[in-house]
Short mmCIF file of all heavy atoms in Angstrom, two decimals:
data_model
loop_
_atom_site.label_atom_id
_atom_site.label_comp_id
_atom_site.label_asym_id
_atom_site.label_seq_id
_atom_site.Cartn_x
_atom_site.Cartn_y
_atom_site.Cartn_z
N MET A 26 20.56 -37.48 14.51
CA MET A 26 21.35 -37.95 13.40
C MET A 26 20.67 -37.56 12.12
O MET A 26 19.45 -37.64 11.97
CB MET A 26 21.45 -39.49 13.48
CG MET A 26 22.16 -40.09 12.22
SD MET A 26 21.98 -41.88 12.20
CE MET A 26 23.28 -42.42 13.25
N LYS A 27 21.48 -37.06 11.20
CA LYS A 27 21.01 -36.69 9.92
C LYS A 27 21.65 -37.60 8.81
O LYS A 27 22.88 -37.75 8.83
CB LYS A 27 21.34 -35.23 9.59
CG LYS A 27 20.95 -34.73 8.26
CD LYS A 27 19.55 -34.23 8.23
CE LYS A 27 19.17 -33.59 6.88
NZ LYS A 27 17.76 -33.25 6.81
N ILE A 28 20.79 -38.16 8.00
CA ILE A 28 21.28 -39.02 6.91
C ILE A 28 20.99 -38.34 5.56
O ILE A 28 19.92 -37.83 5.37
CB ILE A 28 20.59 -40.37 6.90
CG1 ILE A 28 20.78 -41.16 8.18
CG2 ILE A 28 21.06 -41.25 5.70
CD1 ILE A 28 22.12 -41.83 8.36
N VAL A 29 22.01 -38.33 4.71
CA VAL A 29 21.84 -37.69 3.41
C VAL A 29 22.10 -38.80 2.34
O VAL A 29 23.05 -39.57 2.48
CB VAL A 29 22.73 -36.54 3.15
CG1 VAL A 29 22.73 -36.11 1.70
CG2 VAL A 29 22.32 -35.35 4.02
N ALA A 30 21.23 -38.87 1.33
CA ALA A 30 21.40 -39.80 0.21
C ALA A 30 21.91 -39.05 -1.05
O ALA A 30 21.34 -38.04 -1.40
CB ALA A 30 20.14 -40.54 -0.03
N ASP A 31 22.96 -39.64 -1.66
CA ASP A 31 23.39 -39.13 -2.94
C ASP A 31 22.71 -39.90 -4.06
O ASP A 31 23.10 -41.07 -4.32
CB ASP A 31 24.93 -39.23 -3.02
CG ASP A 31 25.48 -38.67 -4.30
OD1 ASP A 31 24.70 -38.45 -5.25
OD2 ASP A 31 26.71 -38.42 -4.32
N LEU A 32 21.70 -39.32 -4.61
CA LEU A 32 20.88 -40.02 -5.64
C LEU A 32 21.56 -40.24 -6.90
O LEU A 32 21.18 -41.11 -7.73
CB LEU A 32 19.58 -39.32 -5.86
CG LEU A 32 18.65 -39.21 -4.61
CD1 LEU A 32 17.33 -38.52 -4.91
CD2 LEU A 32 18.42 -40.56 -3.99
N ASP A 33 22.71 -39.57 -7.13
CA ASP A 33 23.51 -39.87 -8.37
C ASP A 33 24.24 -41.18 -8.18
O ASP A 33 24.64 -41.82 -9.17
CB ASP A 33 24.53 -38.75 -8.56
CG ASP A 33 23.88 -37.43 -9.05
OD1 ASP A 33 22.82 -37.54 -9.63
OD2 ASP A 33 24.43 -36.40 -8.73
N LYS A 34 24.46 -41.64 -6.92
CA LYS A 34 25.12 -42.91 -6.66
C LYS A 34 24.13 -43.99 -6.47
O LYS A 34 24.46 -45.15 -6.75
CB LYS A 34 26.02 -42.74 -5.43
CG LYS A 34 27.19 -41.84 -5.58
CD LYS A 34 28.04 -41.83 -4.32
CE LYS A 34 29.27 -40.96 -4.41
NZ LYS A 34 30.02 -40.81 -3.14
N CYS A 35 22.99 -43.73 -5.89
CA CYS A 35 22.03 -44.77 -5.55
C CYS A 35 21.64 -45.58 -6.80
O CYS A 35 21.15 -44.99 -7.78
CB CYS A 35 20.75 -44.16 -4.94
SG CYS A 35 19.55 -45.38 -4.52
N GLN A 36 21.67 -46.89 -6.70
CA GLN A 36 21.28 -47.80 -7.79
C GLN A 36 19.99 -48.59 -7.49
O GLN A 36 19.62 -49.43 -8.25
CB GLN A 36 22.46 -48.75 -8.10
CG GLN A 36 23.70 -48.09 -8.52
CD GLN A 36 23.53 -47.32 -9.84
OE1 GLN A 36 23.02 -47.84 -10.81
NE2 GLN A 36 23.99 -46.06 -9.87
N GLY A 37 19.43 -48.24 -6.34
CA GLY A 37 18.09 -48.89 -6.04
C GLY A 37 18.22 -50.35 -5.62
O GLY A 37 17.18 -51.03 -5.73
N HIS A 38 19.32 -50.83 -5.14
CA HIS A 38 19.43 -52.22 -4.73
C HIS A 38 18.45 -52.53 -3.62
O HIS A 38 17.99 -53.69 -3.50
CB HIS A 38 20.83 -52.53 -4.21
CG HIS A 38 21.95 -52.09 -5.13
ND1 HIS A 38 22.14 -52.64 -6.37
CD2 HIS A 38 22.96 -51.24 -4.88
CE1 HIS A 38 23.18 -52.04 -6.89
NE2 HIS A 38 23.70 -51.22 -5.99
N GLY A 39 18.21 -51.61 -2.75
CA GLY A 39 17.34 -51.83 -1.63
C GLY A 39 17.99 -52.53 -0.43
O GLY A 39 17.29 -52.91 0.52
N LEU A 40 19.33 -52.59 -0.45
CA LEU A 40 19.97 -53.28 0.74
C LEU A 40 19.76 -52.42 2.01
O LEU A 40 19.66 -52.94 3.09
CB LEU A 40 21.46 -53.48 0.40
CG LEU A 40 21.76 -54.50 -0.71
CD1 LEU A 40 23.24 -54.52 -0.98
CD2 LEU A 40 21.28 -55.87 -0.39
N CYS A 41 19.73 -51.12 1.80
CA CYS A 41 19.49 -50.27 3.00
C CYS A 41 18.11 -50.52 3.57
O CYS A 41 17.99 -50.58 4.79
CB CYS A 41 19.65 -48.79 2.56
SG CYS A 41 18.62 -48.32 1.15
N ARG A 42 17.15 -50.71 2.74
CA ARG A 42 15.80 -51.01 3.23
C ARG A 42 15.80 -52.34 3.89
O ARG A 42 15.06 -52.52 4.88
CB ARG A 42 14.78 -50.96 2.06
CG ARG A 42 13.35 -51.25 2.51
CD ARG A 42 12.38 -51.09 1.37
NE ARG A 42 12.72 -51.99 0.24
CZ ARG A 42 12.12 -51.96 -0.93
NH1 ARG A 42 11.07 -51.12 -1.11
NH2 ARG A 42 12.42 -52.80 -1.86
N MET A 43 16.50 -53.30 3.37
CA MET A 43 16.52 -54.62 3.99
C MET A 43 17.15 -54.57 5.35
O MET A 43 16.69 -55.25 6.34
CB MET A 43 17.30 -55.63 3.15
CG MET A 43 16.54 -56.02 1.91
SD MET A 43 17.52 -57.09 0.78
CE MET A 43 17.88 -58.43 1.82
N SER A 44 18.14 -53.72 5.51
CA SER A 44 18.80 -53.57 6.81
C SER A 44 17.98 -52.79 7.81
O SER A 44 18.04 -53.08 8.96
CB SER A 44 20.14 -52.91 6.62
OG SER A 44 21.01 -53.69 5.83
N ALA A 45 17.29 -51.74 7.33
CA ALA A 45 16.58 -50.86 8.27
C ALA A 45 15.30 -50.31 7.58
O ALA A 45 15.25 -49.20 7.12
CB ALA A 45 17.52 -49.65 8.58
N PRO A 46 14.30 -51.18 7.49
CA PRO A 46 13.05 -50.79 6.81
C PRO A 46 12.29 -49.62 7.50
O PRO A 46 11.49 -48.96 6.85
CB PRO A 46 12.21 -52.09 6.81
CG PRO A 46 12.79 -52.92 7.91
CD PRO A 46 14.22 -52.56 7.99
N ASP A 47 12.60 -49.41 8.76
CA ASP A 47 11.96 -48.28 9.43
C ASP A 47 12.57 -46.92 9.01
O ASP A 47 11.96 -45.82 9.32
CB ASP A 47 12.08 -48.43 10.95
CG ASP A 47 11.24 -49.57 11.46
OD1 ASP A 47 10.22 -49.98 10.79
OD2 ASP A 47 11.52 -50.13 12.56
N VAL A 48 13.73 -46.98 8.42
CA VAL A 48 14.42 -45.74 8.07
C VAL A 48 14.44 -45.46 6.57
O VAL A 48 14.36 -44.34 6.13
CB VAL A 48 15.91 -45.82 8.60
CG1 VAL A 48 16.62 -44.51 8.24
CG2 VAL A 48 15.90 -45.99 10.09
N TYR A 49 14.61 -46.52 5.80
CA TYR A 49 14.83 -46.42 4.34
C TYR A 49 13.67 -47.09 3.54
O TYR A 49 13.16 -48.12 3.98
CB TYR A 49 16.14 -47.06 3.93
CG TYR A 49 17.31 -46.47 4.65
CD1 TYR A 49 17.89 -47.24 5.71
CD2 TYR A 49 17.82 -45.26 4.30
CE1 TYR A 49 18.97 -46.70 6.43
CE2 TYR A 49 18.93 -44.72 4.99
CZ TYR A 49 19.45 -45.43 6.04
OH TYR A 49 20.49 -44.93 6.73
N ASP A 50 13.28 -46.46 2.46
CA ASP A 50 12.40 -47.00 1.51
C ASP A 50 13.01 -46.79 0.13
O ASP A 50 13.92 -46.00 -0.04
CB ASP A 50 11.04 -46.34 1.62
CG ASP A 50 9.93 -47.25 1.04
OD1 ASP A 50 10.24 -48.37 0.56
OD2 ASP A 50 8.80 -46.88 1.16
N VAL A 51 12.55 -47.58 -0.84
CA VAL A 51 12.98 -47.40 -2.20
C VAL A 51 11.76 -47.26 -3.11
O VAL A 51 10.82 -48.06 -3.04
CB VAL A 51 13.85 -48.59 -2.66
CG1 VAL A 51 14.31 -48.43 -4.06
CG2 VAL A 51 15.05 -48.78 -1.76
N THR A 52 11.75 -46.27 -3.92
CA THR A 52 10.61 -45.96 -4.73
C THR A 52 10.48 -46.99 -5.85
O THR A 52 11.50 -47.40 -6.42
CB THR A 52 10.65 -44.55 -5.37
OG1 THR A 52 11.81 -44.50 -6.18
CG2 THR A 52 10.63 -43.47 -4.32
N VAL A 53 9.24 -47.44 -6.12
CA VAL A 53 9.07 -48.40 -7.23
C VAL A 53 9.30 -47.75 -8.57
O VAL A 53 9.98 -48.27 -9.48
CB VAL A 53 7.65 -48.92 -7.13
CG1 VAL A 53 7.36 -49.85 -8.38
CG2 VAL A 53 7.43 -49.74 -5.83
N ASP A 54 8.86 -46.58 -8.73
CA ASP A 54 8.89 -45.83 -10.03
C ASP A 54 10.36 -45.53 -10.38
O ASP A 54 10.80 -45.82 -11.49
CB ASP A 54 8.11 -44.56 -10.02
CG ASP A 54 6.60 -44.86 -9.91
OD1 ASP A 54 6.23 -46.05 -10.23
OD2 ASP A 54 5.84 -43.93 -9.69
N GLU A 55 11.06 -44.90 -9.45
CA GLU A 55 12.37 -44.37 -9.83
C GLU A 55 13.49 -45.30 -9.35
O GLU A 55 14.64 -45.14 -9.75
CB GLU A 55 12.51 -42.96 -9.22
CG GLU A 55 11.51 -41.99 -9.81
CD GLU A 55 11.57 -40.63 -9.07
OE1 GLU A 55 12.56 -40.36 -8.42
OE2 GLU A 55 10.58 -39.85 -9.25
N GLY A 56 13.19 -46.23 -8.42
CA GLY A 56 14.20 -47.18 -8.00
C GLY A 56 15.32 -46.50 -7.21
O GLY A 56 16.49 -46.91 -7.32
N GLN A 57 14.93 -45.47 -6.39
CA GLN A 57 15.96 -44.84 -5.60
C GLN A 57 15.53 -44.77 -4.13
O GLN A 57 14.33 -44.79 -3.84
CB GLN A 57 16.29 -43.50 -6.11
CG GLN A 57 16.96 -43.53 -7.50
CD GLN A 57 17.63 -42.26 -7.83
OE1 GLN A 57 17.01 -41.19 -7.91
NE2 GLN A 57 18.95 -42.32 -8.06
N VAL A 58 16.51 -44.57 -3.28
CA VAL A 58 16.26 -44.59 -1.88
C VAL A 58 15.46 -43.33 -1.48
O VAL A 58 15.68 -42.22 -2.02
CB VAL A 58 17.57 -44.71 -1.08
CG1 VAL A 58 18.46 -43.46 -1.29
CG2 VAL A 58 17.31 -44.98 0.36
N ILE A 59 14.58 -43.48 -0.45
CA ILE A 59 13.99 -42.43 0.28
C ILE A 59 14.40 -42.62 1.72
O ILE A 59 14.20 -43.71 2.26
CB ILE A 59 12.49 -42.48 0.17
CG1 ILE A 59 12.01 -42.19 -1.29
CG2 ILE A 59 11.82 -41.47 1.15
CD1 ILE A 59 10.54 -42.42 -1.49
N VAL A 60 15.02 -41.56 2.29
CA VAL A 60 15.29 -41.64 3.74
C VAL A 60 14.09 -40.98 4.45
O VAL A 60 13.76 -39.88 4.24
CB VAL A 60 16.55 -40.80 4.05
CG1 VAL A 60 16.91 -41.00 5.50
CG2 VAL A 60 17.72 -41.26 3.17
N LYS A 61 13.49 -41.82 5.28
CA LYS A 61 12.25 -41.38 5.96
C LYS A 61 12.63 -40.30 6.95
O LYS A 61 13.78 -40.00 7.22
CB LYS A 61 11.62 -42.53 6.70
CG LYS A 61 11.17 -43.63 5.72
CD LYS A 61 10.52 -44.83 6.43
CE LYS A 61 10.13 -45.89 5.48
NZ LYS A 61 9.49 -47.05 6.19
N PHE A 62 11.64 -39.60 7.43
CA PHE A 62 11.80 -38.45 8.37
C PHE A 62 12.62 -37.31 7.79
O PHE A 62 13.24 -36.61 8.49
CB PHE A 62 12.49 -38.93 9.67
CG PHE A 62 11.96 -40.25 10.26
CD1 PHE A 62 12.72 -41.43 10.07
CD2 PHE A 62 10.75 -40.31 10.86
CE1 PHE A 62 12.26 -42.65 10.53
CE2 PHE A 62 10.26 -41.52 11.34
CZ PHE A 62 11.04 -42.70 11.14
N ASP A 63 12.61 -37.22 6.43
CA ASP A 63 13.40 -36.23 5.73
C ASP A 63 14.86 -36.31 6.18
O ASP A 63 15.61 -35.30 6.15
CB ASP A 63 12.89 -34.79 5.99
CG ASP A 63 11.58 -34.49 5.17
OD1 ASP A 63 11.40 -35.11 4.15
OD2 ASP A 63 10.79 -33.74 5.68
N GLY A 64 15.30 -37.48 6.54
CA GLY A 64 16.70 -37.74 6.90
C GLY A 64 17.03 -37.47 8.37
O GLY A 64 18.10 -37.78 8.83
N ASP A 65 16.09 -36.84 9.08
CA ASP A 65 16.32 -36.53 10.52
C ASP A 65 15.86 -37.77 11.31
O ASP A 65 14.74 -37.87 11.75
CB ASP A 65 15.53 -35.29 10.94
CG ASP A 65 16.14 -34.06 10.38
OD1 ASP A 65 17.35 -33.91 10.38
OD2 ASP A 65 15.36 -33.20 9.88
N VAL A 66 16.81 -38.68 11.52
CA VAL A 66 16.46 -39.97 12.13
C VAL A 66 16.22 -39.81 13.62
O VAL A 66 17.05 -39.30 14.33
CB VAL A 66 17.64 -40.93 11.81
CG1 VAL A 66 17.34 -42.32 12.52
CG2 VAL A 66 17.90 -41.12 10.36
N PRO A 67 15.09 -40.36 14.12
CA PRO A 67 14.82 -40.32 15.51
C PRO A 67 15.90 -41.14 16.32
O PRO A 67 16.44 -42.17 15.79
CB PRO A 67 13.49 -41.01 15.70
CG PRO A 67 12.87 -40.96 14.32
CD PRO A 67 14.00 -40.93 13.37
N GLU A 68 16.16 -40.67 17.50
CA GLU A 68 17.22 -41.36 18.28
C GLU A 68 17.06 -42.89 18.36
O GLU A 68 18.12 -43.62 18.28
CB GLU A 68 17.27 -40.72 19.68
CG GLU A 68 18.54 -41.04 20.49
CD GLU A 68 18.54 -40.23 21.81
OE1 GLU A 68 17.88 -39.21 21.84
OE2 GLU A 68 19.19 -40.74 22.71
N GLU A 69 15.84 -43.32 18.54
CA GLU A 69 15.67 -44.77 18.70
C GLU A 69 16.01 -45.58 17.39
O GLU A 69 16.10 -46.82 17.48
CB GLU A 69 14.27 -45.13 19.22
CG GLU A 69 13.16 -44.74 18.25
CD GLU A 69 12.65 -43.32 18.35
OE1 GLU A 69 13.35 -42.47 18.99
OE2 GLU A 69 11.48 -43.06 17.98
N LEU A 70 16.09 -44.90 16.26
CA LEU A 70 16.41 -45.60 14.99
C LEU A 70 17.81 -45.32 14.52
O LEU A 70 18.18 -45.73 13.45
CB LEU A 70 15.38 -45.19 13.98
CG LEU A 70 13.92 -45.66 14.22
CD1 LEU A 70 13.01 -45.07 13.15
CD2 LEU A 70 13.86 -47.20 14.18
N GLU A 71 18.63 -44.64 15.28
CA GLU A 71 20.01 -44.31 14.89
C GLU A 71 20.89 -45.52 14.55
O GLU A 71 21.59 -45.53 13.56
CB GLU A 71 20.68 -43.41 15.88
CG GLU A 71 20.09 -41.97 15.92
CD GLU A 71 20.81 -41.03 16.83
OE1 GLU A 71 21.67 -41.50 17.56
OE2 GLU A 71 20.50 -39.81 16.78
N ASP A 72 20.76 -46.54 15.43
CA ASP A 72 21.55 -47.79 15.12
C ASP A 72 21.15 -48.42 13.81
O ASP A 72 22.00 -48.83 13.04
CB ASP A 72 21.43 -48.76 16.30
CG ASP A 72 22.17 -48.27 17.54
OD1 ASP A 72 22.99 -47.35 17.47
OD2 ASP A 72 21.97 -48.89 18.63
N ALA A 73 19.85 -48.47 13.65
CA ALA A 73 19.33 -49.09 12.39
C ALA A 73 19.76 -48.22 11.18
O ALA A 73 20.18 -48.77 10.14
CB ALA A 73 17.80 -49.24 12.41
N ALA A 74 19.72 -46.95 11.33
CA ALA A 74 20.13 -46.05 10.23
C ALA A 74 21.55 -46.23 9.91
O ALA A 74 21.94 -46.34 8.73
CB ALA A 74 19.88 -44.61 10.57
N ALA A 75 22.41 -46.41 10.91
CA ALA A 75 23.84 -46.62 10.64
C ALA A 75 24.12 -48.02 9.94
O ALA A 75 25.00 -48.08 9.10
CB ALA A 75 24.57 -46.51 11.98
N LEU A 76 23.32 -48.98 10.32
CA LEU A 76 23.40 -50.31 9.63
C LEU A 76 23.11 -50.11 8.13
O LEU A 76 23.79 -50.70 7.28
CB LEU A 76 22.44 -51.25 10.25
CG LEU A 76 22.81 -52.14 11.38
CD1 LEU A 76 21.70 -53.05 11.75
CD2 LEU A 76 24.04 -52.99 11.00
N GLY A 77 22.08 -49.32 7.86
CA GLY A 77 21.74 -49.10 6.45
C GLY A 77 22.86 -48.38 5.73
O GLY A 77 23.14 -48.76 4.57
N VAL A 78 23.45 -47.44 6.35
CA VAL A 78 24.63 -46.71 5.69
C VAL A 78 25.72 -47.75 5.41
O VAL A 78 26.27 -47.79 4.30
CB VAL A 78 25.19 -45.62 6.65
CG1 VAL A 78 26.46 -45.04 6.09
CG2 VAL A 78 24.12 -44.55 6.80
N ASP A 79 26.00 -48.63 6.33
CA ASP A 79 27.07 -49.60 6.10
C ASP A 79 26.75 -50.60 5.07
O ASP A 79 27.58 -51.17 4.43
CB ASP A 79 27.39 -50.31 7.43
CG ASP A 79 28.09 -49.41 8.44
OD1 ASP A 79 28.63 -48.32 8.00
OD2 ASP A 79 28.10 -49.73 9.64
N SER A 80 25.42 -50.84 4.84
CA SER A 80 24.95 -51.88 3.99
C SER A 80 25.02 -51.44 2.49
O SER A 80 24.97 -52.27 1.56
CB SER A 80 23.56 -52.32 4.21
OG SER A 80 22.65 -51.33 3.80
N CYS A 81 25.16 -50.15 2.22
CA CYS A 81 25.05 -49.62 0.85
C CYS A 81 26.30 -49.87 0.08
O CYS A 81 27.39 -49.30 0.35
CB CYS A 81 24.69 -48.15 0.88
SG CYS A 81 24.61 -47.48 -0.80
N PRO A 82 26.26 -50.67 -1.00
CA PRO A 82 27.48 -50.95 -1.76
C PRO A 82 27.90 -49.83 -2.61
O PRO A 82 29.03 -49.77 -3.13
CB PRO A 82 27.07 -52.14 -2.64
CG PRO A 82 25.56 -52.04 -2.78
CD PRO A 82 25.07 -51.41 -1.43
N GLU A 83 27.04 -48.78 -2.80
CA GLU A 83 27.41 -47.66 -3.64
C GLU A 83 27.92 -46.47 -2.85
O GLU A 83 28.25 -45.42 -3.38
CB GLU A 83 26.18 -47.24 -4.44
CG GLU A 83 25.50 -48.29 -5.28
CD GLU A 83 26.38 -48.90 -6.30
OE1 GLU A 83 27.31 -48.22 -6.80
OE2 GLU A 83 26.17 -50.10 -6.68
N ILE A 84 27.97 -46.64 -1.53
CA ILE A 84 28.37 -45.59 -0.61
C ILE A 84 27.57 -44.32 -0.91
O ILE A 84 28.06 -43.23 -1.02
CB ILE A 84 29.88 -45.27 -0.72
CG1 ILE A 84 30.68 -46.57 -0.72
CG2 ILE A 84 30.36 -44.46 0.47
CD1 ILE A 84 32.13 -46.44 -0.89
N ALA A 85 26.26 -44.56 -1.08
CA ALA A 85 25.28 -43.45 -1.46
C ALA A 85 24.76 -42.72 -0.20
O ALA A 85 24.16 -41.72 -0.29
CB ALA A 85 24.16 -43.95 -2.27
N LEU A 86 24.90 -43.43 0.99
CA LEU A 86 24.34 -42.83 2.18
C LEU A 86 25.45 -42.32 3.11
O LEU A 86 26.46 -42.95 3.29
CB LEU A 86 23.52 -43.91 2.93
CG LEU A 86 22.39 -44.55 2.13
CD1 LEU A 86 21.77 -45.72 2.86
CD2 LEU A 86 21.30 -43.48 1.93
N SER A 87 25.17 -41.11 3.65
CA SER A 87 26.18 -40.56 4.61
C SER A 87 25.48 -40.04 5.85
O SER A 87 24.37 -39.51 5.80
CB SER A 87 26.84 -39.36 3.89
OG SER A 87 27.46 -39.73 2.69
N ILE A 88 26.21 -40.18 6.95
CA ILE A 88 25.84 -39.55 8.18
C ILE A 88 26.49 -38.19 8.25
O ILE A 88 27.67 -38.14 8.23
CB ILE A 88 26.24 -40.40 9.39
CG1 ILE A 88 25.62 -41.80 9.34
CG2 ILE A 88 25.87 -39.67 10.70
CD1 ILE A 88 26.23 -42.75 10.39
N VAL A 89 25.64 -37.14 8.27
CA VAL A 89 26.27 -35.78 8.19
C VAL A 89 26.28 -35.10 9.56
O VAL A 89 26.94 -34.07 9.68
CB VAL A 89 25.54 -34.92 7.14
CG1 VAL A 89 25.75 -35.46 5.77
CG2 VAL A 89 24.04 -34.78 7.44
N GLU A 90 25.56 -35.57 10.48
CA GLU A 90 25.57 -35.00 11.83
C GLU A 90 24.96 -35.88 12.85
O GLU A 90 24.26 -36.81 12.49
CB GLU A 90 24.92 -33.64 11.89
CG GLU A 90 23.46 -33.60 11.57
CD GLU A 90 22.86 -32.23 11.49
OE1 GLU A 90 23.28 -31.46 10.59
OE2 GLU A 90 22.01 -31.90 12.30
S1 SF4 B 119 21.56 -49.70 -0.71
FE1 SF4 B 119 22.43 -47.80 -1.47
S2 SF4 B 119 22.31 -47.97 -3.64
FE2 SF4 B 119 20.92 -49.45 -2.81
S3 SF4 B 119 18.88 -48.44 -2.56
FE3 SF4 B 119 20.00 -48.16 -0.62
S4 SF4 B 119 21.07 -46.12 -0.88
FE4 SF4 B 119 20.49 -46.86 -2.92
#
């Protein structure tokens, strides 16, 4: 699974990190999401990654493959 973040949409709420801290982080300085593993989510974290996508109120996260 590949996750891509649209940083023009990301507002840094951190809801994605709350839903799936193993997949998402939010930078303190810039207040934007970082998708760990360069977005290439390991199979065992795919469900968590999808939860994070669904949790984002800005629709900034997308599953691309
Ligand atoms: S929930 Fe969405 S808007 Fe908030 S930090 Fe995560 S990706 Fe960005």
Side-chain angles (χ1 to χ4, degrees):
M26 175 191 275
K27 177 86 174 175
I28 301 282
V29 169
D31 183 342
L32 297 182
D33 289 333
K34 292 181 178 175
C35 178
Q36 298 297 313
H38 310 297
L40 296 176
C41 53
R42 180 176 57 186
M43 288 174 59
S44 296
D47 291 335
V48 179
Y49 303 101
D50 201 357
V51 178
T52 59
V53 173
D54 290 346
E55 297 173 17
Q57 291 199 303
V58 67
I59 292 170
V60 185
K61 298 179 181 180
F62 316 104
D63 286 331
D65 289 315
V66 178
E68 194 173 335
E69 65 270 22
L70 292 176
E71 287 185 351
D72 287 348
L76 269 181
V78 171
D79 289 343
S80 76
C81 177
E83 307 297 335
I84 316 176
L86 299 171
S87 303
I88 299 170
V89 295
E90 61 187 64

